[in-house]
Amino acid sequence: MSSTHDDHDHDHDAQPVTDRIHDNSWSANLEKPEHADDRQLVVDQALSAIEHTAPGNHVNLVTHANHGHPEGYLYDVLESEGGDGVEWEYIEQCGCGGHVVRVHVS
């Protein structure tokens, strides 16, 4: 990933969804009760999850249903803050109403 943690405008004090670098593909659960009313927390933790994914892997961002389709609030952030080494694709809507976006880190 070409950007660094310090390049982002997101809340550096937000509790990260993980505290280790994942050298494998994994899923970040962003649909817990604390995510229901806090879209910014979802965005902050999504960016943190990407930062904690080693190159050559992907992270599935599983977002809360309350915020609707991630195209409306997450795609622009991924575009502006993800860096050149990040590509994403929409996977599906979960049965619970949340959405899955797969982010590939190169």
Side-chain angles (χ1 to χ4, degrees):
M1 189 167 9
S2 64
S3 61
T4 65
H5 185 68
D6 294 333
D7 292 338
H8 301 304
D9 291 331
H10 62 275
D11 182 1
H12 296 285
D13 296 325
Q15 182 70 16
V17 71
T18 186
D19 62 356
R20 67 181 180 90
I21 300 298
H22 291 259
D23 195 10
N24 61 332
S25 295
W26 65 291
S27 295
N29 183 356
L30 307 175
E31 57 180 354
K32 295 178 182 175
E34 61 265 26
H35 297 103
D37 297 322
D38 194 344
R39 180 182 283 182
Q40 190 60 49
L41 179 63
V42 173
V43 171
D44 292 343
Q45 289 187 340
L47 291 172
S48 176
I50 294 166
E51 292 169 354
H52 285 86
T53 303
N57 297 287
H58 71 260
V59 58
N60 292 319
L61 304 174
V62 185
T63 62
H64 201 285
N66 283 9
H67 306 298
H69 196 288
E71 180 179 34
Y73 65 94
L74 188 58
Y75 288 7
D76 286 345
V77 174
L78 294 175
E79 180 72 32
S80 66
E81 297 192 33
D84 293 334
V86 173
E87 295 180 8
W88 68 92
E89 61 183 314
Y90 180 78
I91 300 298
E92 67 183 348
Q93 184 171 15
C94 304
C96 63
H99 297 269
V100 179
V101 175
R102 180 168 294 157
V103 180
H104 301 271
V105 179
S106 58

XYZ file of all heavy atoms in Angstrom:
827
model
N 0.854 -1.160 0.000
C 0.000 0.000 0.000
C 0.902 1.225 0.000
O 1.828 1.321 0.783
C -0.888 -0.061 1.253
C -1.948 0.939 1.264
S -3.250 0.698 2.516
C -2.712 -0.584 3.562
N 0.608 2.179 -0.841
C 1.499 3.314 -0.976
C 1.271 4.383 0.074
O 2.136 5.188 0.319
C 1.363 3.916 -2.368
O 0.068 4.435 -2.542
N 0.106 4.429 0.672
C -0.131 5.441 1.692
C 0.256 4.893 3.059
O 0.380 3.698 3.251
C -1.602 5.868 1.694
O -2.416 4.768 1.975
N 0.453 5.798 3.982
C 0.791 5.394 5.331
C -0.330 5.781 6.270
O -1.187 6.597 5.930
C 2.094 6.067 5.810
O 1.875 7.475 5.886
C 3.249 5.751 4.887
N -0.307 5.222 7.459
C -1.324 5.512 8.451
C -1.424 7.011 8.717
O -2.497 7.542 8.894
C -1.004 4.753 9.747
C -2.042 4.889 10.806
N -3.284 4.335 10.674
C -2.038 5.533 11.994
C -3.991 4.614 11.752
N -3.255 5.345 12.566
N -0.299 7.716 8.702
C -0.297 9.143 8.996
C -0.902 9.977 7.877
O -1.211 11.142 8.085
C 1.137 9.626 9.265
C 1.706 9.005 10.530
O 0.920 8.655 11.425
O 2.936 8.863 10.611
N -1.076 9.401 6.687
C -1.641 10.147 5.571
C -3.160 10.279 5.670
O -3.751 11.075 4.963
C -1.340 9.444 4.242
C 0.132 9.487 3.896
O 0.847 10.368 4.409
O 0.561 8.621 3.115
N -3.804 9.515 6.512
C -5.258 9.467 6.555
C -5.831 10.500 7.511
O -5.251 10.849 8.522
C -5.736 8.075 6.998
C -5.258 6.987 6.088
N -5.506 6.973 4.738
C -4.528 5.882 6.331
C -4.962 5.915 4.199
N -4.360 5.229 5.144
N -7.038 10.967 7.160
C -7.749 11.919 8.000
C -8.701 11.218 8.956
O -9.413 11.872 9.688
C -8.554 12.886 7.125
C -7.658 13.814 6.334
O -6.548 14.108 6.813
O -8.081 14.227 5.250
N -8.754 9.897 8.943
C -9.696 9.220 9.812
C -9.241 9.303 11.264
O -8.134 9.697 11.562
C -9.950 7.774 9.361
C -8.752 6.887 9.376
N -7.867 6.831 8.331
C -8.288 6.037 10.311
C -6.917 5.972 8.623
N -7.138 5.482 9.818
N -10.117 8.931 12.151
C -9.905 9.062 13.587
C -8.843 8.075 14.058
O -9.093 6.884 14.168
C -11.224 8.818 14.318
C -11.116 8.992 15.813
O -10.020 9.316 16.324
O -12.146 8.808 16.487
N -7.650 8.580 14.353
C -6.550 7.724 14.787
C -6.806 7.140 16.171
O -6.140 6.206 16.582
C -5.230 8.506 14.784
C -4.835 8.953 13.418
N -4.328 8.100 12.474
C -4.909 10.168 12.835
C -4.095 8.769 11.364
N -4.436 10.019 11.548
N -7.765 7.689 16.900
C -8.070 7.192 18.237
C -9.155 6.121 18.227
O -9.475 5.558 19.265
C -8.500 8.348 19.147
C -7.372 9.353 19.343
O -6.198 8.930 19.398
O -7.666 10.552 19.432
N -9.744 5.846 17.065
C -10.774 4.817 16.986
C -10.164 3.466 17.327
O -9.049 3.149 16.916
C -11.389 4.772 15.591
N -10.885 2.682 18.067
C -10.433 1.341 18.417
C -10.286 0.534 17.132
O -11.231 0.399 16.369
C -11.452 0.683 19.354
C -11.069 -0.690 19.817
C -9.903 -0.678 20.793
O -9.555 0.343 21.353
N -9.306 -1.822 20.969
N -9.109 0.017 16.833
C -8.943 -0.744 15.590
C -9.703 -2.063 15.645
O -9.930 -2.621 16.719
C -7.433 -0.973 15.516
C -6.954 -0.869 16.917
C -7.881 0.092 17.613
N -10.079 -2.540 14.489
C -10.792 -3.811 14.397
C -9.834 -4.976 14.628
O -10.245 -6.075 14.952
C -11.554 -3.906 13.058
C -10.604 -4.084 11.901
C -12.593 -4.985 13.085
N -8.535 -4.720 14.497
C -7.500 -5.718 14.739
C -6.241 -5.004 15.212
O -6.081 -3.820 14.957
C -7.195 -6.537 13.468
O -6.288 -7.592 13.776
C -6.622 -5.685 12.361
N -5.383 -5.731 15.885
C -4.146 -5.118 16.361
C -2.907 -5.806 15.799
O -1.810 -5.619 16.279
C -4.099 -5.099 17.890
C -4.127 -6.493 18.486
O -4.264 -7.478 17.728
O -4.014 -6.605 19.716
N -3.097 -6.608 14.749
C -1.956 -7.288 14.154
C -2.064 -7.222 12.638
O -3.141 -6.996 12.088
C -1.882 -8.738 14.611
C -3.017 -9.606 14.119
C -2.906 -11.044 14.628
N -3.985 -11.867 14.173
C -3.974 -12.583 13.044
N -2.926 -12.558 12.250
N -5.003 -13.319 12.703
N -0.934 -7.406 11.981
C -0.922 -7.468 10.517
C -1.336 -8.879 10.108
O -0.771 -9.862 10.580
C 0.485 -7.142 9.968
C 0.916 -5.739 10.394
C 0.505 -7.290 8.445
C 0.039 -4.615 9.875
N -2.328 -8.954 9.249
C -2.815 -10.249 8.768
C -2.063 -10.603 7.485
O -2.214 -9.922 6.477
C -4.317 -10.184 8.492
C -5.128 -10.054 9.738
N -5.778 -11.116 10.310
C -5.370 -8.988 10.533
C -6.399 -10.711 11.410
N -6.166 -9.420 11.561
N -1.258 -11.651 7.556
C -0.530 -12.130 6.389
C -1.317 -13.261 5.750
O -0.798 -14.316 5.413
C 0.881 -12.575 6.782
C 1.794 -12.724 5.573
O 1.392 -12.298 4.467
O 2.896 -13.271 5.728
N -2.594 -13.043 5.649
C -3.533 -13.970 5.031
C -4.774 -13.162 4.677
O -4.894 -12.012 5.063
C -3.891 -15.123 5.980
C -4.543 -14.635 7.254
O -4.316 -13.509 7.714
N -5.366 -15.467 7.858
N -5.670 -13.758 3.952
C -6.931 -13.097 3.672
C -7.855 -13.327 4.856
O -7.843 -14.389 5.467
C -7.526 -13.634 2.376
O -6.667 -13.273 1.301
N -8.642 -12.291 5.203
C -9.445 -12.344 6.415
C -10.669 -11.443 6.279
O -10.816 -10.732 5.291
C -8.598 -11.953 7.622
C -8.108 -10.518 7.627
C -7.177 -9.961 6.794
C -8.524 -9.487 8.511
N -6.991 -8.649 7.108
C -7.802 -8.321 8.150
C -9.420 -9.428 9.573
C -7.975 -7.107 8.816
C -9.575 -8.220 10.230
C -8.866 -7.076 9.863
N -11.549 -11.489 7.258
C -12.750 -10.660 7.270
C -12.759 -9.761 8.488
O -12.423 -10.198 9.595
C -14.005 -11.530 7.279
O -14.101 -12.269 6.080
N -13.143 -8.512 8.271
C -13.284 -7.538 9.350
C -14.771 -7.354 9.628
O -15.527 -6.929 8.740
C -12.648 -6.217 8.962
N -15.196 -7.681 10.840
C -16.597 -7.583 11.231
C -16.911 -6.150 11.644
O -16.578 -5.722 12.748
C -16.891 -8.554 12.367
C -18.345 -8.538 12.763
O -19.146 -7.762 12.270
N -18.693 -9.420 13.691
N -17.556 -5.416 10.760
C -17.943 -4.029 11.009
C -19.456 -3.910 11.130
O -20.040 -2.889 10.789
C -17.419 -3.139 9.873
C -15.925 -3.266 9.580
C -15.550 -2.444 8.365
C -15.098 -2.867 10.792
N -20.070 -4.962 11.641
C -21.521 -4.957 11.812
C -21.924 -5.299 13.246
O -23.016 -5.771 13.499
C -22.200 -5.883 10.801
C -21.754 -7.310 10.834
C -22.470 -8.181 9.805
O -23.398 -7.708 9.131
O -22.109 -9.353 9.706
N -21.047 -4.995 14.176
C -21.362 -5.185 15.589
C -22.295 -4.072 16.058
O -22.461 -3.063 15.366
C -20.067 -5.185 16.405
C -19.150 -6.345 16.097
C -17.884 -6.262 16.905
C -16.944 -7.405 16.558
N -15.657 -7.271 17.252
N -22.898 -4.211 17.240
C -23.823 -3.180 17.723
C -23.233 -1.767 17.746
O -23.934 -0.799 17.425
C -24.171 -3.655 19.137
C -24.010 -5.139 19.073
C -22.851 -5.368 18.130
N -21.946 -1.638 18.059
C -21.349 -0.300 18.109
C -21.229 0.340 16.723
O -21.073 1.560 16.602
C -19.974 -0.321 18.798
C -18.941 -1.176 18.110
C -18.821 -2.587 18.671
O -19.805 -3.107 19.237
O -17.739 -3.175 18.526
N -21.351 -0.450 15.668
C -21.283 0.082 14.311
C -22.651 0.560 13.813
O -22.709 1.318 12.846
C -20.750 -0.988 13.348
C -19.354 -1.413 13.650
N -19.071 -2.603 14.287
C -18.165 -0.810 13.428
C -17.760 -2.705 14.429
N -17.189 -1.631 13.917
N -23.712 0.125 14.458
C -25.068 0.388 13.974
C -25.368 1.868 13.792
O -25.975 2.260 12.791
C -26.094 -0.249 14.912
N -24.972 2.696 14.726
C -25.291 4.122 14.668
C -24.079 5.000 14.416
O -24.143 6.215 14.602
C -25.964 4.551 15.977
C -27.293 3.847 16.190
O -28.026 3.656 15.193
O -27.585 3.467 17.336
N -22.965 4.399 14.015
C -21.725 5.164 13.871
C -21.053 4.832 12.545
O -20.136 4.022 12.483
C -20.799 4.868 15.052
C -19.646 5.839 15.175
O -19.359 6.566 14.191
O -19.020 5.858 16.251
N -21.527 5.477 11.487
C -20.967 5.235 10.155
C -19.481 5.578 10.120
O -18.702 4.896 9.462
C -21.719 6.045 9.113
C -21.180 5.821 7.710
C -21.894 6.646 6.685
N -23.186 6.031 6.394
C -24.030 6.504 5.500
N -23.745 7.608 4.836
N -25.166 5.898 5.270
N -19.075 6.627 10.832
C -17.674 7.017 10.823
C -16.799 5.924 11.425
O -15.686 5.692 10.966
C -17.455 8.339 11.557
C -16.049 8.904 11.367
C -15.712 9.175 9.910
O -16.480 9.808 9.189
N -14.559 8.680 9.451
N -17.295 5.230 12.452
C -16.557 4.113 13.034
C -16.361 3.013 11.997
O -15.275 2.423 11.901
C -17.281 3.571 14.270
C -16.611 2.382 14.955
C -15.238 2.768 15.502
C -17.506 1.849 16.076
N -17.387 2.735 11.216
C -17.280 1.729 10.158
C -16.172 2.126 9.180
O -15.305 1.316 8.832
C -18.627 1.550 9.421
C -18.471 0.625 8.209
C -19.693 1.016 10.366
N -16.172 3.383 8.753
C -15.164 3.869 7.807
C -13.775 3.806 8.428
O -12.822 3.312 7.814
C -15.507 5.297 7.340
C -14.358 5.907 6.542
C -16.794 5.296 6.521
N -13.641 4.301 9.651
C -12.334 4.310 10.320
C -11.778 2.904 10.478
O -10.601 2.653 10.210
C -12.439 4.968 11.707
C -12.730 6.455 11.629
O -12.554 7.068 10.558
O -13.147 7.019 12.665
N -12.629 1.983 10.916
C -12.156 0.627 11.127
C -11.931 -0.113 9.805
O -11.080 -0.995 9.731
C -13.085 -0.135 12.059
C -12.979 0.381 13.486
C -13.750 -0.457 14.477
O -14.660 -1.208 14.133
N -13.395 -0.323 15.745
N -12.645 0.257 8.765
C -12.389 -0.321 7.444
C -10.994 0.067 6.975
O -10.224 -0.780 6.504
C -13.445 0.146 6.447
N -10.650 1.340 7.121
C -9.311 1.794 6.733
C -8.236 1.133 7.590
O -7.184 0.733 7.089
C -9.222 3.317 6.837
C -10.053 4.081 5.811
C -10.057 5.563 6.125
C -9.561 3.819 4.398
N -8.511 0.988 8.869
C -7.562 0.313 9.760
C -7.372 -1.144 9.343
O -6.254 -1.661 9.344
C -8.056 0.399 11.206
O -7.212 -0.319 12.066
N -8.465 -1.809 8.975
C -8.377 -3.210 8.542
C -7.504 -3.335 7.296
O -6.688 -4.258 7.187
C -9.776 -3.763 8.276
N -7.652 -2.396 6.367
C -6.833 -2.418 5.156
C -5.365 -2.223 5.518
O -4.490 -2.925 5.014
C -7.314 -1.339 4.168
C -8.717 -1.685 3.671
C -6.336 -1.195 3.007
C -9.428 -0.554 2.974
N -5.094 -1.286 6.419
C -3.723 -1.030 6.850
C -3.103 -2.238 7.547
O -1.887 -2.388 7.561
C -3.684 0.168 7.797
C -4.008 1.470 7.114
C -4.221 2.619 8.078
O -4.236 2.395 9.318
O -4.378 3.745 7.604
N -3.948 -3.096 8.112
C -3.474 -4.276 8.832
C -3.531 -5.546 7.980
O -3.518 -6.654 8.505
C -4.281 -4.462 10.126
C -3.903 -3.492 11.193
N -4.465 -2.240 11.282
C -3.000 -3.593 12.189
C -3.928 -1.611 12.312
N -3.029 -2.403 12.874
N -3.601 -5.367 6.661
C -3.605 -6.490 5.734
C -2.314 -6.450 4.920
O -2.025 -5.456 4.267
C -4.826 -6.421 4.795
O -6.022 -6.391 5.598
C -4.875 -7.610 3.858
N -1.547 -7.510 5.002
C -0.269 -7.583 4.295
C -0.494 -7.626 2.785
O -1.488 -8.199 2.311
C 0.512 -8.814 4.744
N 0.423 -7.025 2.027
C 0.322 -7.075 0.561
C 0.196 -8.513 0.059
O 0.786 -9.435 0.612
C 1.641 -6.442 0.103
C 2.011 -5.512 1.223
C 1.590 -6.251 2.469
N -0.604 -8.667 -0.992
C -0.842 -9.981 -1.573
C -2.046 -10.684 -0.989
O -2.361 -11.804 -1.376
N -2.733 -10.025 -0.078
C -3.908 -10.601 0.578
C -5.099 -9.675 0.401
O -4.973 -8.573 -0.123
C -3.620 -10.805 2.069
C -2.510 -11.798 2.290
O -2.690 -12.989 2.101
N -1.334 -11.304 2.651
N -6.261 -10.130 0.873
C -7.435 -9.263 0.856
C -8.132 -9.323 2.209
O -7.926 -10.242 2.995
C -8.406 -9.649 -0.274
C -9.130 -10.947 -0.049
N -8.737 -12.122 -0.648
C -10.223 -11.250 0.698
C -9.557 -13.094 -0.283
N -10.480 -12.584 0.541
N -8.915 -8.299 2.452
C -9.769 -8.258 3.632
C -11.204 -8.054 3.160
O -11.465 -7.218 2.286
C -9.337 -7.157 4.633
C -9.332 -5.772 4.008
C -10.215 -7.178 5.892
N -12.107 -8.849 3.696
C -13.530 -8.668 3.443
C -14.065 -7.716 4.502
O -14.008 -8.019 5.694
C -14.276 -9.997 3.524
C -13.908 -10.934 2.405
O -13.765 -10.524 1.261
N -13.737 -12.202 2.722
N -14.545 -6.562 4.066
C -15.150 -5.598 4.981
C -16.640 -5.903 5.038
O -17.348 -5.750 4.039
C -14.910 -4.175 4.480
C -13.450 -3.787 4.249
C -13.370 -2.398 3.617
C -12.668 -3.845 5.556
N -17.105 -6.364 6.181
C -18.504 -6.727 6.355
C -19.165 -5.575 7.107
O -18.951 -5.392 8.303
C -18.635 -8.052 7.127
C -20.102 -8.471 7.194
C -17.785 -9.145 6.483
N -19.944 -4.757 6.383
C -20.483 -3.525 6.939
C -21.894 -3.704 7.490
O -22.617 -4.618 7.095
C -20.483 -2.414 5.877
O -21.324 -2.804 4.786
C -19.070 -2.149 5.364
N -22.272 -2.810 8.373
C -23.567 -2.880 9.057
C -24.709 -2.487 8.122
O -24.599 -1.541 7.344
C -23.565 -1.964 10.281
C -24.608 -2.335 11.274
N -25.941 -2.056 11.083
C -24.518 -2.993 12.452
C -26.629 -2.511 12.115
N -25.788 -3.090 12.955
N -25.812 -3.203 8.232
C -26.988 -2.961 7.385
C -27.552 -1.555 7.552
O -28.095 -0.990 6.596
C -28.066 -3.994 7.709
N -27.426 -0.961 8.728
C -28.010 0.357 8.977
C -27.489 1.433 8.041
O -28.146 2.458 7.855
C -27.744 0.813 10.418
C -28.631 0.130 11.418
O -29.346 -0.809 11.106
N -28.573 0.588 12.651
N -26.336 1.232 7.456
C -25.721 2.274 6.644
C -25.985 2.108 5.154
O -25.540 2.921 4.353
C -24.216 2.326 6.926
C -23.924 2.489 8.368
N -24.317 3.594 9.088
C -23.320 1.669 9.256
C -23.947 3.456 10.350
N -23.350 2.285 10.470
N -26.683 1.051 4.782
C -27.011 0.841 3.381
C -25.820 0.361 2.573
O -24.804 -0.080 3.115
N -25.963 0.464 1.272
C -24.923 -0.008 0.356
C -23.655 0.824 0.552
O -23.721 2.056 0.608
C -25.414 0.093 -1.082
C -24.593 -0.697 -2.045
N -23.317 -0.320 -2.419
C -24.857 -1.854 -2.695
C -22.834 -1.207 -3.274
N -23.752 -2.148 -3.466
N -22.493 0.174 0.643
C -21.243 0.898 0.896
C -20.842 1.862 -0.220
O -20.002 2.744 -0.011
C -20.204 -0.205 1.081
C -20.820 -1.427 0.519
C -22.292 -1.271 0.608
N -21.460 1.745 -1.369
C -21.172 2.685 -2.454
C -21.459 4.123 -2.007
O -20.763 5.051 -2.413
C -22.022 2.336 -3.673
C -21.796 3.252 -4.851
C -22.638 2.849 -6.046
O -23.773 2.368 -5.862
O -22.144 3.014 -7.174
N -22.439 4.291 -1.125
C -22.849 5.624 -0.708
C -21.937 6.295 0.309
O -22.036 7.505 0.513
N -21.047 5.550 0.947
C -20.211 6.166 1.984
C -18.791 5.615 2.071
O -17.929 6.240 2.681
C -20.870 6.026 3.363
C -20.997 4.604 3.849
C -20.027 4.036 4.656
C -22.078 3.819 3.477
C -20.126 2.731 5.088
C -22.201 2.514 3.912
C -21.221 1.974 4.711
O -21.331 0.684 5.132
N -18.515 4.466 1.469
C -17.200 3.854 1.630
C -16.340 3.932 0.369
O -15.130 4.100 0.459
C -17.362 2.397 2.076
C -16.114 1.647 2.485
C -15.379 2.347 3.633
C -16.457 0.215 2.897
N -16.928 3.839 -0.800
C -16.157 3.786 -2.029
C -15.290 5.024 -2.237
O -14.130 4.915 -2.630
C -17.067 3.587 -3.239
C -17.686 2.216 -3.372
C -17.568 1.250 -2.381
C -18.413 1.884 -4.495
C -18.150 0.002 -2.510
C -18.993 0.644 -4.646
C -18.860 -0.294 -3.649
O -19.432 -1.525 -3.795
N -15.848 6.209 -1.997
C -15.064 7.437 -2.174
C -13.874 7.480 -1.223
O -12.794 7.942 -1.596
C -15.932 8.681 -1.966
C -16.867 8.931 -3.139
O -16.664 8.344 -4.220
O -17.823 9.719 -2.957
N -14.070 6.987 0.002
C -12.980 6.950 0.973
C -11.902 5.968 0.513
O -10.711 6.269 0.588
C -13.498 6.578 2.379
C -12.349 6.399 3.352
C -14.469 7.633 2.881
N -12.309 4.822 0.029
C -11.335 3.850 -0.486
C -10.563 4.441 -1.652
O -9.352 4.247 -1.770
C -12.036 2.557 -0.907
C -12.682 1.743 0.209
C -13.447 0.557 -0.376
C -11.660 1.283 1.230
N -11.254 5.170 -2.500
C -10.611 5.807 -3.656
C -9.604 6.861 -3.218
O -8.482 6.906 -3.706
C -11.670 6.439 -4.566
C -11.108 7.113 -5.789
C -10.585 6.130 -6.822
O -11.139 5.024 -6.925
O -9.627 6.480 -7.516
N -9.987 7.702 -2.261
C -9.125 8.819 -1.876
C -8.032 8.438 -0.892
O -6.954 9.028 -0.899
C -9.961 9.962 -1.297
O -10.562 9.578 -0.072
N -8.278 7.442 -0.049
C -7.311 7.116 0.999
C -6.687 5.741 0.879
O -5.756 5.421 1.605
C -7.978 7.254 2.379
C -8.424 8.667 2.659
C -8.816 8.886 4.092
O -8.223 8.242 4.967
O -9.706 9.707 4.327
N -7.190 4.928 -0.033
C -6.691 3.572 -0.154
C -5.304 3.458 -0.745
O -4.577 2.523 -0.456
N -4.931 4.385 -1.582
C -3.622 4.315 -2.214
C -3.657 3.505 -3.495
O -4.659 2.881 -3.839
N -2.538 3.513 -4.198
C -2.440 2.832 -5.488
C -2.457 1.317 -5.358
O -2.795 0.625 -6.294
C -1.149 3.244 -6.205
C -1.168 4.705 -6.612
O -2.265 5.264 -6.801
O -0.068 5.289 -6.718
N -2.090 0.805 -4.188
C -1.993 -0.635 -4.010
C -3.267 -1.282 -3.500
O -3.227 -2.397 -2.989
N -4.395 -0.603 -3.646
C -5.647 -1.121 -3.115
C -6.710 -1.145 -4.213
O -6.917 -0.157 -4.903
C -6.138 -0.247 -1.934
C -7.518 -0.665 -1.472
C -5.155 -0.309 -0.785
N -7.337 -2.290 -4.377
C -8.463 -2.437 -5.298
C -9.592 -3.100 -4.539
O -9.341 -3.929 -3.664
C -8.081 -3.292 -6.500
C -7.019 -2.670 -7.365
C -6.668 -3.546 -8.566
O -7.368 -4.566 -8.796
O -5.705 -3.214 -9.247
N -10.817 -2.773 -4.842
C -11.938 -3.373 -4.136
C -13.028 -3.788 -5.112
O -13.087 -3.316 -6.238
C -12.497 -2.432 -3.074
C -13.166 -1.211 -3.628
C -14.493 -1.065 -3.923
C -12.544 0.016 -3.990
N -14.719 0.172 -4.443
C -13.548 0.860 -4.490
C -11.245 0.486 -3.939
C -13.284 2.146 -4.933
C -10.979 1.766 -4.380
C -11.985 2.573 -4.858
N -13.856 -4.689 -4.612
C -14.998 -5.155 -5.378
C -16.134 -5.463 -4.415
O -15.920 -5.944 -3.302
C -14.636 -6.400 -6.188
C -14.207 -7.582 -5.333
C -13.787 -8.799 -6.132
O -14.518 -9.166 -7.083
O -12.742 -9.375 -5.813
N -17.338 -5.162 -4.859
C -18.518 -5.490 -4.072
C -18.788 -6.979 -4.257
O -18.789 -7.484 -5.381
C -19.718 -4.670 -4.543
C -20.963 -4.965 -3.762
C -21.146 -4.434 -2.498
C -21.948 -5.788 -4.285
C -22.282 -4.715 -1.760
C -23.097 -6.075 -3.559
C -23.259 -5.530 -2.299
O -24.388 -5.804 -1.569
N -18.991 -7.680 -3.127
C -19.220 -9.128 -3.198
C -20.704 -9.453 -3.120
O -21.259 -10.059 -4.021
C -18.437 -9.865 -2.087
C -16.933 -9.600 -2.225
C -18.741 -11.353 -2.107
C -16.326 -10.088 -3.520
N -21.353 -9.051 -2.018
C -22.769 -9.399 -1.871
C -23.373 -8.730 -0.657
O -22.662 -8.220 0.206
C -22.937 -10.904 -1.717
C -22.347 -11.451 -0.414
C -22.464 -12.959 -0.294
O -23.183 -13.584 -1.094
O -21.837 -13.518 0.601
N -24.701 -8.775 -0.599
C -25.414 -8.373 0.598
C -25.653 -9.632 1.420
O -26.082 -10.661 0.888
C -26.743 -7.708 0.267
C -27.462 -7.206 1.494
C -28.668 -6.349 1.154
O -29.149 -6.337 0.031
N -29.171 -5.648 2.150
N -25.332 -9.557 2.697
C -25.511 -10.689 3.600
C -26.999 -10.895 3.890
O -27.798 -9.973 3.750
C -24.795 -10.439 4.927
S -23.059 -10.087 4.783
N -27.324 -12.068 4.369
C -28.697 -12.352 4.757
C -29.198 -11.448 5.871
O -30.388 -11.174 5.987
N -28.291 -10.943 6.696
C -28.659 -10.060 7.802
C -28.833 -8.612 7.343
O -29.213 -7.752 8.129
C -27.605 -10.125 8.905
S -25.988 -9.546 8.358
N -28.537 -8.331 6.067
C -28.715 -6.984 5.535
C -27.431 -6.204 5.351
O -27.419 -5.174 4.693
N -26.338 -6.656 5.953
C -25.054 -5.993 5.775
C -24.489 -6.261 4.390
O -25.104 -6.962 3.577
N -23.334 -5.693 4.114
C -22.718 -5.818 2.800
C -21.264 -6.234 2.942
O -20.610 -5.908 3.930
C -22.782 -4.483 2.055
C -24.175 -4.034 1.777
N -24.842 -4.355 0.618
C -25.044 -3.303 2.518
C -26.053 -3.831 0.651
N -26.205 -3.185 1.792
N -20.760 -6.932 1.921
C -19.365 -7.367 1.920
C -18.649 -6.701 0.743
O -19.080 -6.810 -0.409
C -19.247 -8.900 1.785
C -17.783 -9.327 1.759
C -19.998 -9.604 2.900
N -17.549 -6.007 1.082
C -16.667 -5.415 0.085
C -15.304 -6.063 0.270
O -14.760 -6.050 1.391
C -16.553 -3.886 0.262
C -15.537 -3.308 -0.715
C -17.906 -3.228 0.107
N -14.766 -6.651 -0.765
C -13.454 -7.294 -0.703
C -12.400 -6.299 -1.178
O -12.492 -5.779 -2.291
C -13.421 -8.549 -1.552
C -12.068 -9.258 -1.524
C -12.150 -10.630 -2.132
N -12.996 -11.448 -1.280
C -13.644 -12.540 -1.695
N -13.545 -12.940 -2.947
N -14.404 -13.225 -0.860
N -11.417 -6.045 -0.327
C -10.341 -5.112 -0.650
C -9.042 -5.905 -0.805
O -8.597 -6.556 0.127
C -10.190 -4.037 0.454
C -9.072 -3.075 0.089
C -11.507 -3.288 0.659
N -8.469 -5.824 -1.997
C -7.205 -6.486 -2.320
C -6.072 -5.499 -2.082
O -6.117 -4.365 -2.558
C -7.193 -6.952 -3.767
C -8.301 -7.908 -4.115
N -8.154 -9.264 -3.971
C -9.558 -7.690 -4.558
C -9.285 -9.854 -4.335
N -10.147 -8.924 -4.688
N -5.053 -5.946 -1.356
C -3.896 -5.108 -1.058
C -2.699 -5.665 -1.820
O -2.374 -6.843 -1.696
C -3.602 -5.092 0.457
C -2.383 -4.243 0.768
C -4.826 -4.610 1.240
N -2.064 -4.823 -2.631
C -0.899 -5.295 -3.398
C 0.361 -4.560 -2.959
O 0.334 -3.627 -2.229
C -1.121 -5.130 -4.889
O -1.387 -3.799 -5.226
